Amino acid sequence: MPKIILYRKNCIGCGACVEQQPALWRMNKKDGKATLLNGISKMNLFILNIPTALQIPSEAIATACPVNIIKIV
């Protein structure tokens, strides 16, 4: 099963992830950074298992991120 990994501390808050995949992402009102909805926090990372059908759209989000803090594995 593919996973999204978010290195949130390096987020610059551009919002590209939220614009392209609003079902999985939100912008945090307190710090202006992206939040991976239902992501599990592990050692400064946020990890979310996703269905295979979301792998390609999620890879597009990772590519769109200007600071490369989103990885799909």
Side-chain angles (χ1 to χ4, degrees):
M1 179 174 285
K3 296 178 184 182
I4 298 174
I5 300 175
L6 170 65
Y7 298 83
R8 189 175 185 278
K9 70 178 183 175
N10 296 327
C11 179
I12 61 170
C14 75
C17 52
V18 176
E19 288 177 23
Q20 294 183 39
Q21 212 172 30
L24 296 181
W25 301 92
R26 291 285 183 275
M27 296 305 292
N28 185 294
K29 292 180 182 178
K30 290 182 181 177
D31 63 10
K33 295 183 178 190
T35 299
L36 181 58
L37 298 177
N38 300 315
I40 297 171
S41 177
K42 290 186 180 180
M43 298 175 15
N44 295 322
L45 303 175
F46 288 84
I47 302 170
L48 178 66
N49 291 325
I50 57 171
T52 304
L54 291 179
Q55 183 171 353
I56 292 174
S58 297
E59 288 172 353
I61 301 299
T63 301
C65 179
V67 288
N68 299 313
I69 60 164
I70 302 169
K71 306 293 180 202
I72 311 302
V73 294

